[in-house]
Amino acid sequence: MRRLKLAILISGRGSNMEALLKAIAADPDYPAVAVLVASNRPDAAGLKIAEAADVPTVAIDHRAYGKDRVAFEKELDDELRRSGAEIIALAGFMRVLTPWFVTRWEGRMINIHPSLLPKYKGLDTQQRAIDAGDNEAGCTVHWVTSGVDEGEIIAQARVPILPGDTADTLAARTLPTEHKLYPEALKIACAKILQT
Ligand code: GRF
């Protein structure tokens, strides 16, 4: 069985990355194998989780490149190519990627976003859902395109918004749902790539 080489990009806690690594470890038939976890922040807690799982890691501090986003992305792209990555999962990666990078990986890069897209692209999704009076929120995994949080949806899951919810309580309620959704959606994305 062919497995795609997976790179996961993070910026912080890395709980979605951990969920992907656990799903891969738990299923001998999972269609991906992790070859790299990369962070734009050297202090990202998720790097330690990846190291403990024996997955190669790299930190490329975006601050060293100032405003030159593409220079940062070229370094990242070099690391990804060196790792042999065939698919990228963004997991709490907090840098907007330029068209230069997105075009290089289009059709091979997915993201998890904590809202029911197309609602609430960008930041502060939970607060915006609460402020709008919505009675449900959720998370979406989608293909990455140049428009932020705009690519085709792969999978989505809903969670209720309860009276008295704050952005933090809603985010905490959504997170376990993200951890279930992302490994399933990554499987679907791998299947699509492997078909072509
Ligand atoms: C998650 O809520 C994810 O949907 C969003 O950023 C958060 C990252 O959390 N894109 P973690 O680093 O995976 O724990």
Side-chain angles (χ1 to χ4, degrees), residues 9-174:
L9 304 191
I10 64 169
S11 297
R13 181 175 57 181
S15 70
N16 277 288
M17 173 216 69
E18 186 174 21
L20 293 178
L21 297 183
K22 281 188 173 156
I24 290 169
D27 179 0
D29 292 326
Y30 200 90
V33 56
V35 294
L36 185 69
V37 170
S39 171
N40 64 306
R41 292 195 170 273
D43 60 350
L47 287 172
K48 295 220 161 47
I49 299 172
E51 280 162 23
D54 285 330
V55 178
T57 61
V58 64
I60 304 168
D61 192 338
H62 67 274
R63 290 169 300 189
Y65 301 85
K67 289 194 192 323
D68 192 346
R69 285 181 183 266
V70 173
F72 161 75
E73 290 173 350
K74 283 191 169 148
E75 191 61 40
L76 178 60
D77 189 64
D78 284 350
E79 290 288 353
L80 290 162
R81 306 273 163 194
R82 267 197 286 275
S83 75
E86 298 167 291
I87 183 168
I88 298 175
L90 305 181
F93 184 67
M94 298 305 286
R95 299 296 293 165
V96 172
L97 294 163
T98 71
W100 179 82
F101 188 89
V102 172
T103 307
R104 286 175 86 75
W105 290 95
E106 198 145 6
R108 289 186 171 264
M109 181 159 56
I110 66 175
N111 179 44
I112 186 158
H113 182 74
S115 82
L116 293 173
L117 289 174
K119 278 186 155 185
Y120 314 127
K121 298 166 186 164
L123 299 174
D124 298 326
T125 57
Q126 290 92 4
Q127 191 59 54
R128 287 155 66 203
I130 292 167
D131 290 348
D134 294 356
N135 57 20
E136 61 178 8
C139 46
T140 304
V141 179
H142 63 95
W143 294 99
V144 176
T145 57
S146 288
V148 175
D149 301 324
E150 282 188 351
E152 190 190 331
I153 290 172
I154 300 167
Q156 203 162 54
R158 293 166 190 276
V159 297
I161 297 180
L162 302 179
D165 256 343
T166 64
D168 286 347
T169 59
L170 179 55
R173 184 172 321 108
T174 307

